Amino acid sequence: MNKSLAKIYKPGVVKFALNSWPPFWGAGIKILSISEDFRQVNMKLKLRWWNKNANRTQYGGSIFSLTDPTYSLMLMGILGERYYVWDKEASINFIKPGQSDLYAEFSVTDDQLQSILSQTAEGEKCFPEFIIYVKDKDGNVVSEVQRKLYVRKKPQFREEEQKQTA
């Protein structure tokens, strides 16, 4: 994230921007809430006629898209402009068909955040992993998505840290 974006990167702005973003809107994805500290996000995938598969259930690509940028965007909000944060890899396990609107809850715990901060303190790369359980309207798990991210301090902040410790 650059300095200009960091100034306006607030939960309400991010929620509005992503809910207006054509890939989310077209897929039926909606951010329901983002906590003020970016540590909690709740999302919904609406079942629409155009995102149903041949079996008339949620299209798997839409389920996968529901989880796509969320943890990266959360960590960008938490860590700010000093860090690079990217999605690195992901996998999905389809457990049962999604026959209704679907929901996903994302959270970054204190332990996860402290682990990321300690692993990246000296400029090292960190690859935190998160599991998301996508659920139907009755709370039944429809899919399990594993996301691995890449997190690292930007070079100028690595150098700054090295100067301070020297």
Side-chain angles (χ1 to χ4, degrees):
M1 172 180 347
N2 66 37
K3 224 175 226 190
S4 300
L5 181 57
K7 290 178 183 177
I8 62 165
Y9 202 84
K10 307 287 183 228
V13 173
V14 172
K15 180 180 173 186
F16 175 79
L18 288 176
N19 282 340
S20 303
W21 190 39
F24 267 23
W25 180 84
I29 297 168
K30 183 174 185 178
I31 296 176
L32 301 174
S33 65
I34 303 176
S35 67
E36 285 302 312
D37 61 1
F38 283 101
R39 305 266 305 261
Q40 299 284 328
V41 174
N42 294 304
M43 297 177 68
K44 175 181 179 178
L45 174 60
K46 189 159 180 60
L47 181 61
R48 296 180 172 159
W49 67 268
W50 64 80
N51 67 358
K52 290 181 182 179
N53 61 25
N55 294 310
R56 311 298 293 155
T57 60
Q58 287 279 9
Y59 173 63
S62 295
I63 296 171
F64 203 53
S65 293
L66 173 66
T67 68
D68 188 11
T70 310
Y71 275 111
S72 290
L73 296 172
M74 291 169 74
L75 285 177
M76 287 172 64
I78 294 166
L79 299 173
E81 65 186 72
R82 299 173 61 91
Y83 288 81
Y84 290 121
V85 180
W86 290 299
D87 275 309
K88 181 169 175 43
E89 70 184 58
S91 65
I92 189 166
N93 178 19
F94 296 105
I95 296 169
K96 63 181 273 187
Q99 299 176 325
S100 68
D101 293 350
L102 301 180
Y103 301 87
E105 296 178 2
F106 304 80
S107 66
V108 176
T109 66
D110 289 337
D111 289 344
Q112 289 168 323
L113 184 55
Q114 288 309 312
S115 176
I116 292 166
L117 291 172
S118 67
Q119 289 180 54
T120 59
E122 301 295 320
E124 295 87 359
K125 300 172 188 173
C126 175
F127 303 101
E129 294 188 34
F130 300 92
I131 302 288
I132 304 105
Y133 297 99
V134 179
K135 299 177 181 180
D136 64 17
K137 65 180 173 78
D138 297 322
N140 300 307
V141 176
V142 170
S143 67
E144 178 184 276
V145 182
Q146 175 272 331
R147 291 257 167 210
K148 182 186 279 189
L149 278 59
Y150 167 99
V151 181
R152 190 173 191 189
K153 277 188 185 174
K154 292 180 180 177
Q156 64 267 34
F157 298 108
R158 283 182 246 156
E159 293 166 8
E160 185 180 290
E161 289 287 326
Q162 290 170 351
K163 288 177 187 174
Q164 290 176 356
T165 58

